[in-house]
Amino acid sequence: MTSEVMRPRSIRVFATKSSTEVTDAQVQSVVPLKEAFILAMWWLLLLVAPQGVEGIKPVVMVPGALASKIEAKLDKASRSHFYCSKTSDWYLLWLKLESMLPPAVNCWADNFQMSYSDGTFSNYPGVTTRVTGFGTSHGLDYVDNWEKISYFRDIVQALLALPGAIPDVTVRAAPYDFRYSPPSTQTKEYFQRLKDLIEDSYSKTGNTKVVLLSHSLGGLMTSSFLHYVPQEWKDTYIDCWVSIAGVFGGAVKEVKVMVSHGIIDLPDVLSSRLLQRDLARKIMGNYFMLPRYPVWSKDEVLLETPNRNYTVANYDQLFSDMGVSDGFEKLTLVRDQPYTGDPEVKTFCFNGKDIETSASFYYKKQSDFPDEIPEVVTGDGDGTVPARSLKICHHWKSTAQVVEYSGTDAGEHDKITTNPDFIKNLIKIVLS
């Protein structure tokens, strides 16, 4: 057994622009144990909640990639393997843990992949999908069917413990099919559903403005959504946006996903890495999260090989050398779609820092490219998203507060959603 030296957590809080705050005296210290935190939340918040308030601000949650549950229904003309079904009623496509085991993982990959033709991504022929849990409080508590991979559970429990909280009214999930991205028809439909959900939450809470809460890819989706709706609508329905670990400028990790790795880190004994890589190259959302200019300059190397270096300026060459003939066309479709300018709503940015994060990759031998796993060069970030991408929201005029958590325990890309200090800050925002 190895031991790990725990680095003390440090928190960097930037100056807050004019906004109403709940004082620290109103919110007591939160113990580091998550279980004790959730158990005590009822009693703590009964004490700290402003007296005489009829309700609280409703919260609508926009998740990151791989966090939404997707169901599928099959009516296929053929099957990829003799043991895979051609027809089925609705079943859980993502994430059903037993589907990740052989040989079922081959059937899953066949149904999860996307088709691409004439500038349009779609489900594979014979596969119909839908996202579950939209508008509910607990739709994002867990990622998987066995409830082993916790996601927004701690956040939801804390929010529902607030006096006046109503399940499926004051706390509501807005999951989406993360395989798609703007400018797809599916994303436009999602933006309309999200708009309707926000208006419904506003109406059901006595015309109380809504707090948007996003994580990871959800930050990029929310930023694009806020650019999609008119300012008058934002002024009417949105109180503020709380962004956690937003992947605003893309992530270098996605380069490895596309080149050699795939979207799921499974041992080869369970699933072929190259099968997962082939699947990743067919998913629209992966192109959406690749590093973008000008966040990365045109001369910064993302991937190095003995024969050639690759940057944001020659993605076309990278896809050609990878043998993905339509890869650059797919990237071109989504490259200019993310909107990361000022959202024109009050924004709170939370992210991690001081964690080794993929900054670039390199191959020592040309023969290893692209099928072998490259070596990695690390830089600062939250373990998944580089610092420069996370910090885009730091510079918006609409940003009221920035909080950075140092170290893996407090600020790692996924762990930050269960950080008691972050949850305490979120409660203060919802009660302010």
Side-chain angles (χ1 to χ4, degrees):
M1 179 179 296
T2 60
S3 61
E4 181 178 347
V5 178
M6 306 295 289
R7 286 186 291 177
R9 185 184 74 193
S10 65
I11 302 172
R12 184 184 180 196
V13 182
F14 290 75
T16 303
K17 300 175 185 178
S18 59
S19 62
T20 304
E21 295 185 351
V22 176
T23 65
D24 289 338
Q26 289 179 293
V27 180
Q28 301 184 20
S29 296
V30 181
V31 294
L33 295 175
K34 291 189 293 182
E35 294 79 3
F37 167 72
I38 297 299
L39 182 64
M41 187 58 69
W42 263 109
W43 303 105
L44 288 173
L45 292 173
L46 283 172
L47 295 174
V48 304
Q51 299 301 309
V53 177
E54 295 182 0
I56 59 174
K57 296 173 187 173
V59 178
V60 171
M61 305 174 293
V62 182
L66 307 180
S68 303
K69 290 185 175 67
I70 302 173
E71 291 186 339
K73 188 175 184 179
L74 306 181
D75 187 15
K76 302 169 70 174
S78 61
R79 66 189 88 202
S80 57
H81 300 83
F82 73 90
Y83 47 80
C84 298
S85 299
K86 290 197 300 182
T87 62
S88 77
D89 201 349
W90 290 106
Y91 74 97
L92 186 61
L93 177 64
W94 180 268
L95 171 63
K96 188 176 182 180
L97 291 179
E98 54 265 41
S99 295
M100 298 296 105
L101 300 174
V105 67
N106 298 313
C107 307
W108 166 79
D110 191 47
N111 296 330
F112 193 78
Q113 66 179 315
M114 305 182 79
S115 292
Y116 178 78
S117 178
D118 297 327
T120 301
F121 284 87
S122 61
N123 283 323
Y124 204 67
V127 180
T128 304
T129 55
R130 66 185 183 188
V131 174
T132 66
F134 192 90
T136 69
S137 289
H138 296 288
L140 297 171
D141 283 7
Y142 296 91
V143 174
D144 65 301
N145 61 316
W146 290 355
E147 298 188 351
K148 299 296 183 182
I149 308 173
S150 175
Y151 187 48
F152 274 9
R153 180 195 63 184
D154 290 3
I155 291 173
V156 170
Q157 287 182 350
L159 291 173
L160 288 178
L162 289 169
I166 304 172
D168 303 334
V169 175
T170 59
V171 184
R172 308 180 83 175
Y176 55 93
D177 191 332
F178 49 80
R179 298 175 305 157
Y180 292 96
S181 75
S184 68
T185 299
Q186 290 79 3
T187 300
K188 292 176 183 177
E189 291 173 350
Y190 169 72
F191 282 171
Q192 184 59 51
R193 291 188 74 196
L194 178 58
K195 182 172 179 285
D196 293 343
L197 180 66
I198 291 168
E199 292 176 3
D200 185 62
S201 300
Y202 171 89
S203 176
K204 287 182 176 177
T205 55
N207 295 347
T208 304
K209 291 185 178 182
V210 171
V211 175
L212 274 173
L213 173 66
S214 67
H215 174 244
S216 190
L217 174 60
L220 193 54
M221 292 291 284
T222 300
S223 178
S224 299
F225 167 75
L226 290 172
H227 181 60
Y228 164 81
V229 294
Q231 187 63 42
E232 182 180 2
W233 184 91
K234 291 184 284 189
D235 292 340
T236 300
Y237 294 104
I238 302 298
D239 176 82
C240 66
W241 171 24
V242 178
S243 169
I244 322 168
V247 58
F248 296 113
V252 177
K253 184 178 180 179
E254 284 296 316
V255 174
K256 187 175 76 168
V257 167
M258 303 289 267
V259 172
S260 68
H261 208 67
I263 61 174
I264 305 175
D265 192 7
L266 291 174
D268 278 349
V269 68
L270 294 181
S271 178
S272 164
R273 177 175 51 80
L274 298 183
L275 170 69
Q276 294 291 337
R277 180 191 66 176
D278 181 61
L279 174 63
R281 294 172 176 179
K282 297 176 180 177
I283 302 299
M284 185 180 192
N286 289 327
Y287 294 87
F288 191 58
M289 290 187 286
L290 282 168
R292 290 188 303 279
Y293 174 81
V295 183
W296 273 263
S297 68
K298 294 181 179 181
D299 59 358
E300 286 186 86
V301 176
L302 300 174
L303 178 67
E304 177 183 347
T305 71
N307 290 354
R308 183 176 281 121
N309 292 336
Y310 302 96
T311 73
V312 295
N314 66 341
Y315 274 128
D316 55 341
Q317 187 67 59
L318 174 60
F319 283 112
S320 176
D321 292 347
M322 286 163 48
V324 185
S325 59
D326 59 359
F328 187 63
E329 179 183 341
K330 292 175 178 177
L331 175 62
T332 302
L333 178 68
V334 305
R335 182 174 52 189
D336 298 326
Q337 291 301 313
Y339 181 77
T340 55
D342 195 299
E344 303 286 335
V345 299
K346 183 170 63 176
T347 303
F348 298 84
C349 297
F350 294 84
N351 61 264
K353 65 173 186 174
D354 302 330
I355 304 170
E356 290 188 352
T357 304
S358 299
S360 65
F361 301 98
Y362 66 93
Y363 284 96
K364 295 179 180 179
K365 297 191 300 182
Q366 187 65 35
S367 59
D368 286 345
F369 171 78
D371 291 342
E372 301 302 322
I373 298 174
E375 303 292 328
V376 60
V377 177
T378 60
D380 187 27
D382 68 1
T384 297
V385 182
R388 71 176 78 182
S389 185
L390 295 165
K391 290 182 177 181
I392 286 177
C393 64
H394 294 197
H395 308 295
W396 295 334
K397 290 183 180 180
S398 296
T399 297
Q401 186 181 35
V402 172
V403 179
E404 293 186 295
Y405 296 103
S406 177
T408 301
D409 291 329
E412 190 274 332
H413 187 73
D414 293 318
K415 287 183 180 179
I416 192 172
T417 62
T418 61
N419 180 341
D421 190 84
F422 162 71
I423 297 177
K424 183 178 73 171
N425 274 291
L426 175 62
I427 297 300
K428 291 170 67 174
I429 293 168
V430 171
L431 293 179
S432 64

